[in-house]
Amino acid sequence: MPPWIYLASQSPRRSQLLQQLDIAHELLLPGSDEDAEALETVLPGEAPVDYVQRVTGLKLEAAVRRHARRGLPPAAILCADTTVALGAAILGKPQDGTDAARMLTELSGQMHQVFTAVAVAWEDRRWAALSVSQVQFAQLTQQQIAAYVASGEPMGKAGAYGIQGRAAAFIAHIEGSYTGIMGLPLFETAQLLRSAGV
């Protein structure tokens, strides 16, 4: 097993979190010939916890095929996906500022769940884990929401917020994994990588 892994994620936060664990890694990102967004389609009636685990598995298998297609040196491949859920509703990445404001209005004053699934592939073996956290948002004013949306931070983030950024000021309480809410639960990730022999 090489002393490094592939990270199949475009999230700079996941890369930073791996660095926090001192895990050397190379990015294994989709090429222009892959429609990565298509993997994130929600199936009718799909529960958030089922969705996040299914999508993570699909992303991992796509990364395994990508690795083989490119003829890259062997190493474990790590993949993760994060989903924000308000009840049974999945709050994905906002389409635009209006969509981000809608999500933040829905989250205002509410407790919601953040699911992050992690999966690792090494040769023909697979390991997976799930982190579940509860996040309590404070009551937000329309001015706070508008200012946060105008900052651009909600874009590209599930639930239209990043706990490690300005939105930290909105979060009254969390239960679970702070790094899981960021997008890569380090406890579960470390366990999976140990299981895979990294």
Side-chain angles (χ1 to χ4, degrees):
M1 171 73 74
W4 53 276
I5 66 169
Y6 291 105
L7 172 62
S9 172
Q10 301 187 56
S11 163
R13 294 173 301 285
R14 292 192 178 115
S15 185
Q16 290 161 5
L17 287 166
L18 283 179
Q19 289 169 8
Q20 192 174 318
L21 289 184
D22 202 25
I23 295 172
H25 58 281
E26 290 185 15
L27 297 180
L28 181 60
L29 302 180
S32 56
D33 57 334
E34 294 181 67
D35 184 6
E37 293 297 315
L39 300 179
E40 299 183 2
T41 303
V42 181
L43 300 179
E46 190 170 25
V49 67
D50 297 329
Y51 167 79
V52 74
Q53 293 177 99
R54 179 180 62 81
V55 168
T56 302
L58 289 174
K59 287 182 175 181
L60 183 67
E61 294 311 318
V64 168
R65 290 191 297 273
R66 186 181 313 138
H67 174 268
R69 215 169 38 244
R70 295 178 185 173
L72 297 169
I77 299 169
L78 173 71
C79 194
D81 192 67
T82 300
T83 293
V84 171
L86 186 59
I90 294 171
L91 302 184
K93 297 169 186 171
Q95 300 297 314
D96 53 28
T98 302
D99 196 29
R102 174 191 63 80
M103 290 187 197
L104 292 163
T105 300
E106 290 178 7
L107 293 174
S108 173
Q110 301 295 318
M111 176 79 80
H112 65 272
Q113 288 186 302
V114 179
F115 300 98
T116 297
V118 187
V120 173
W122 169 241
E123 296 178 334
D124 60 349
R125 299 192 63 190
R126 305 289 184 270
W127 296 265
L130 177 70
S131 166
V132 182
S133 301
Q134 314 281 341
V135 181
Q136 175 68 53
F137 256 46
Q139 198 73 43
L140 305 179
T141 66
Q142 287 307 306
Q143 289 85 353
Q144 285 175 308
I145 291 171
Y148 184 57
V149 171
S151 76
E153 190 175 285
M155 305 316 295
K157 295 180 178 68
Y161 76 93
I163 194 172
Q164 74 284 357
R166 297 180 187 189
F170 306 153
I171 294 168
H173 181 74
I174 71 167
E175 292 177 26
S177 168
Y178 179 80
T179 55
I181 298 166
M182 280 181 69
L184 189 68
L186 292 186
F187 177 76
E188 289 84 351
T189 299
Q191 285 189 313
L192 288 187
L193 291 174
R194 273 196 296 270
S195 297
V198 177

